[in-house]
Amino acid sequence: MRIYLDEVKKYYSWVFIFKYAMLLTSALFIIDILNFPTKFLLAYDMKITVILIMLVFLFFILTAVEFHFFDAFKIVSINIIDAIYLVILLSSILYSSISLIYASLSPYKIVSLILMLIIVIELIRIRSGGIKKAIETVGEYKSNVIDLKDIYNGKFSMIEGQPIMLGEKEVDYDCNR
């Protein structure tokens, strides 16, 4: 997990993650204090409410497809998915901490927060395992690109079943006439 957090830190600052975690937590508190979900559900006919919820859900799915959000899950390197996981994790912790201080946690909120924390922690654990494995694989990689001078001097080793590729970098020992 430490390797994962160090890798995330290379691409996303903790200020960036905390900023969005606080923004999400604030939005959740405003929605909770204003009791927006209940007011929304009771304000309209059930058919209209279902249609609006489906349209919002469809909008988010199409936006995710447009920005290749689902493809980011396949990439085994640090990307926006990792930042989102950490923002959700920190937001859940902040929300539950602040709610505990003000004693405004209902049983359904406690269950929802625990479930959210378990899911996000498990997703981060799975993601960190994949990234750790990828980092170890990169460390074991041996390039088969060899300079002509190394071949001439005999300073190379062949890997069984791998072709030898010649590097074309400019060097200062080249014969210029």
Side-chain angles (χ1 to χ4, degrees):
M1 184 67 104
R2 182 75 183 160
I3 294 171
Y4 174 74
L5 293 176
D6 289 341
E7 287 294 314
V8 171
K9 188 178 174 185
K10 288 179 186 177
Y11 297 97
Y12 299 100
S13 71
W14 292 118
V15 173
F16 172 85
I17 291 176
F18 277 111
K19 179 175 69 172
Y20 284 101
M22 288 176 30
L23 184 68
L24 180 60
T25 304
S26 301
L28 289 173
F29 267 114
I30 290 170
I31 289 170
D32 188 25
I33 290 170
L34 295 177
N35 205 8
F36 183 70
T38 305
K39 287 180 182 177
F40 178 75
L41 290 173
L42 297 177
Y44 301 104
D45 183 37
M46 192 57 151
K47 291 179 184 177
I48 294 173
T49 304
V50 170
I51 290 171
L52 286 175
I53 290 172
M54 288 176 57
L55 286 174
V56 168
F57 181 73
L58 185 61
F59 174 78
F60 281 121
I61 293 292
L62 290 175
T63 303
V65 169
E66 177 185 10
F67 291 115
H68 305 286
F69 185 74
F70 298 113
D71 293 336
F73 285 107
K74 299 174 189 172
I75 300 172
V76 187
S77 66
I78 301 298
N79 57 36
I80 193 66
I81 301 296
D82 303 292
I84 290 171
Y85 285 164
L86 290 176
V87 166
I88 292 171
L89 177 68
L90 289 175
S91 292
S92 299
I93 292 169
L94 282 171
Y95 187 85
S96 58
S97 301
I98 294 170
S99 294
L100 279 173
I101 291 171
Y102 290 108
S104 66
L105 274 178
S106 304
Y108 77 92
K109 289 181 188 177
I110 293 172
V111 170
S112 299
L113 284 170
I114 290 172
L115 187 62
M116 178 69 75
L117 284 170
I118 290 171
I119 290 170
V120 170
I121 288 171
E122 186 62 24
L123 289 171
I124 289 173
R125 192 185 67 75
I126 290 168
R127 187 100 172 124
S128 69
I131 288 175
K132 182 179 177 185
K133 184 178 176 184
I135 290 171
E136 290 170 353
T137 304
V138 167
E140 296 171 1
Y141 175 73
K142 185 176 178 186
S143 176
N144 61 345
V145 178
I146 302 170
D147 191 24
L148 275 175
K149 185 176 182 182
D150 291 336
I151 293 174
Y152 180 75
N153 292 332
K155 297 180 182 177
F156 72 98
S157 61
M158 293 179 57
I159 301 172
E160 187 69 33
Q162 293 287 327
I164 296 175
M165 299 183 159
L166 298 176
E168 294 186 23
K169 59 184 178 183
E170 188 173 320
V171 292
D172 57 350
Y173 57 82
D174 203 3
C175 297
N176 291 328
R177 293 187 187 209

